[in-house]
Amino acid sequence: MTVRRLSAGLVAAALFTPGLAACNSSGTPTAGSSASPTVSASGTPAPSGSAAPASGDAKQALLASTREISNGNFRFTMSGVGSTAEGRVHEPTQSAEMRVTIGKPTDDLFMKLDLVHYKPDSWVKVELGGTTAKSVPGVQKLNLGKYQHLDQTRIKGNRNLGFDFDKVDPAGSEVLTQGITEVRQTGDGAYAGTIDVSKAAEAGSVDPTVITALGAQAKSVPFTAKLDPQGRLSEMVIQIPAAGQNQAQDIKITYSDYGSATAAQKPPADQVVEAPQELYNLFN
C-alpha cells in the first residue's frame, strides 16, 4: 500500500491515488467533488434570468470564483468511489483539520485519518482495518485510538504529513479552472464544459498515473461547476472516464462557510502520544 501527499494534498492523495484506492476490495481508484454559483466576468453575481454569457465570460467567472479560497477560511468536502473527506482551513489561526475515510470496514483494507494542524504542531490519528490490516508493518503501533504528535523536523517538506499555509486549497481548484478548455453557462450559477486534466497533477486532484492512462482523453474531460450568490466556487465535479485499469469516476469537490470557518481544535493532551517510527515509514 502506498500513501502519498497527505495534507495540502491529503485529500487528493487519499481519494485519487491508485495505491490507496487499492486498499478497497474493488481495487479501483477514488475521487472527490464540490459546487459553487456563477458570476460575470467582472466577478459580480450574474443576475437571475440574464442571458448566458459567452464562453470567455464563463471561464473568467470560474477563474474569479477561486480567489476567495486563497484567503484560507473555508470548509470543504471531497467524495468518490468508496472514499470521503471533509475538513476546514482557518489561515487566521494557522490551523486546519481533515478527516478522510478510504474504503469501508468490509473491504480487505480500509483507512481512517484524522489530521490536525495548528502551527507549529501537527497530529494524526490513524485507524487501519480490514482482513489484511495486520499485514501493514507496525499496525499495532498505529491503531492506538490516539492522536500521534508529529516531529516537524521529520516531516519538513513532506507533503504526506505537512500542511503548507501558502497553498491552502487541498484540491487546487485555481489550477483546475485554469485548465478549462470549453465552458458554457447552463443555468443560474451553473456551468458545464471540458477541462484538460493533464494540468491537474500540479493541483493534486488527479494522480499522474490516472492522467497517463487517459492519454489523449485527458485533454478534454467533462466537468460541471456551481457558484454561490457571491460568485465563489461551491462545487466542481470532474467526470473522469474509464481508462486502463481505472474505472470511470466523478471527482467531486465542495466549498462552504467562506470567511466563517472556525479554528481547528488541538487534541486533548491525554489523547496524544508521540508518533512512532512506523508512522513515518508508512507515510514516506
Side-chain angles (χ1 to χ4, degrees), residues 173-236:
S173 292
E174 179 180 6
V175 176
L176 289 175
T177 56
Q178 290 172 351
I180 291 172
T181 53
E182 182 274 328
V183 62
R184 63 193 181 281
Q185 186 171 3
T186 58
D188 189 13
Y191 296 91
T194 58
I195 188 170
D196 181 355
V197 297
S198 66
K199 300 177 181 179
E202 179 186 345
S205 300
V206 183
D207 188 83
T209 60
V210 175
I211 296 172
T212 299
L214 287 172
Q217 294 183 92
K219 298 290 185 180
S220 185
V221 173
F223 82 94
T224 61
K226 297 177 183 178
L227 310 185
D228 68 14
Q230 289 72 45
R232 304 169 301 198
L233 186 65
S234 62
E235 177 184 291
M236 179 177 283

Side-chain angles (χ1 to χ4, degrees), residues 15 26-32 79-82 210 213-214 217 221-222 237-251:
L15 297 177
S26 63
T28 54
T30 55
S79 62
V81 181
V210 175
L214 287 172
Q217 294 183 92
V221 173
V237 180
I238 303 175
Q239 299 155 356
I240 303 292
Q245 299 298 311
N246 304 320
Q247 70 175 37
Q249 55 181 299
D250 284 352
I251 295 174

Side-chain angles (χ1 to χ4, degrees), residues 6-244:
L6 297 171
S7 71
L10 166 75
V11 179
L15 297 177
F16 313 135
T17 301
L20 272 182
C23 293
N24 67 40
S25 58
S26 63
T28 54
T30 55
S33 101
S34 123
S36 109
T38 56
V39 295
S40 67
S42 64
T44 57
S48 178
S50 61
S55 178
D57 290 338
K59 182 171 181 177
Q60 287 304 312
L62 288 175
L63 288 171
S65 74
T66 65
R67 292 173 185 164
E68 183 67 22
I69 297 173
S70 64
N71 289 330
N73 191 332
F74 58 87
R75 289 181 178 271
F76 67 90
T77 69
M78 301 177 79
S79 62
V81 181
S83 298
T84 61
E86 63 177 353
R88 52 182 159 172
V89 177
H90 194 255
E91 199 279 338
T93 58
Q94 298 277 277
S95 68
E97 183 177 20
M98 305 181 195
R99 294 185 180 91
V100 179
T101 300
I102 306 164
K104 54 186 183 297
T106 56
D107 291 337
D108 292 338
L109 181 63
F110 81 98
M111 176 185 286
K112 290 184 179 181
L113 299 172
D114 189 346
L115 185 60
V116 178
H117 298 285
Y118 211 116
K119 201 171 182 178
D121 291 301
S122 299
W123 304 263
V124 63
K125 183 193 293 185
V126 180
E127 179 184 349
L128 291 169
T131 56
T132 63
K134 59 184 177 182
S135 66
V136 176
V139 65
Q140 298 89 346
K141 295 182 180 180
L142 299 174
N143 279 350
L144 300 176
K146 291 189 175 184
Y147 287 88
Q148 301 183 43
H149 180 256
L150 300 169
D151 182 344
Q152 296 298 304
T153 65
R154 301 183 69 177
I155 65 171
K156 186 175 182 180
N158 185 330
R159 297 187 68 182
N160 292 335
L161 296 172
F163 189 90
D164 186 351
F165 280 96
D166 292 326
K167 299 178 181 178
V168 296
D169 183 7
S173 292
E174 179 180 6
V175 176
L176 289 175
T177 56
Q178 290 172 351
I180 291 172
T181 53
E182 182 274 328
V183 62
R184 63 193 181 281
Q185 186 171 3
T186 58
D188 189 13
Y191 296 91
T194 58
I195 188 170
D196 181 355
V197 297
S198 66
K199 300 177 181 179
E202 179 186 345
S205 300
V206 183
D207 188 83
T209 60
V210 175
I211 296 172
T212 299
L214 287 172
Q217 294 183 92
K219 298 290 185 180
S220 185
V221 173
F223 82 94
T224 61
K226 297 177 183 178
L227 310 185
D228 68 14
Q230 289 72 45
R232 304 169 301 198
L233 186 65
S234 62
E235 177 184 291
M236 179 177 283
V237 180
I238 303 175
Q239 299 155 356
I240 303 292

